[in-house]
Amino acid sequence: MFVEMKTITVKPGTSHLVVENFQGKNAMAEMDGFIDKKIWVRSRSKEDEKVIVAIHWESEEAYKGWKKSPIHIAGHRTKREKPDYILDFKNETFVEASLPASV
């Protein structure tokens, strides 16, 4: 399994804006190799809130297929300014290292 992790730090009271952006039905879910997307929110801090989006793919090749797809490229082609409520953004990828438990 291959995972893309997006960590978005936002101003207090604004994490719902990021969640709404990632929750809707989108073309990613229709791509070969897409498994699922999970979203977590940490809102206990008075200074900021953090949203983590984990996108699971069957393989790195499936992930790269999404990144190179015309629909993904078109979605990022429009240059948008970063919303003022976003304080920090981090994007990382991981390969699953654990072996499945034997039955």
Side-chain angles (χ1 to χ4, degrees):
M1 183 182 312
F2 190 82
V3 180
E4 178 182 25
M5 299 284 291
K6 298 175 182 288
T7 305
I8 304 125
T9 306
V10 298
K11 292 179 180 178
T14 63
S15 60
H16 68 281
L17 298 171
V18 176
V19 171
E20 289 168 7
N21 185 48
F22 281 99
Q23 268 186 334
K25 184 177 179 182
N26 60 41
M28 181 189 306
E30 306 300 321
M31 291 294 296
D32 287 339
F34 174 81
I35 297 173
D36 68 5
K37 175 175 49 177
K38 298 188 186 308
I39 303 170
W40 293 277
V41 176
R42 186 211 66 202
S43 57
R44 291 186 177 172
S45 170
K46 292 180 181 180
E47 291 82 35
D48 60 29
E49 295 179 358
K50 196 167 279 192
V51 179
I52 297 176
V53 181
I55 305 164
H56 298 90
W57 297 92
E58 289 177 0
S59 65
E60 185 173 0
E61 291 74 27
Y63 165 77
K64 286 179 178 178
W66 162 247
K67 289 294 193 181
K68 292 178 181 178
S69 71
I71 194 151
H72 179 263
I73 292 168
H76 286 276
R77 185 164 281 149
T78 309
K79 211 159 201 204
R80 292 173 267 168
E81 279 191 41
K82 179 180 81 168
D84 67 340
Y85 58 85
I86 294 180
L87 303 174
D88 190 40
F89 178 86
K90 187 171 163 182
N91 192 55
E92 299 176 289
T93 57
F94 299 88
V95 176
E96 183 176 19
S98 62
L99 299 173
S102 59
V103 179

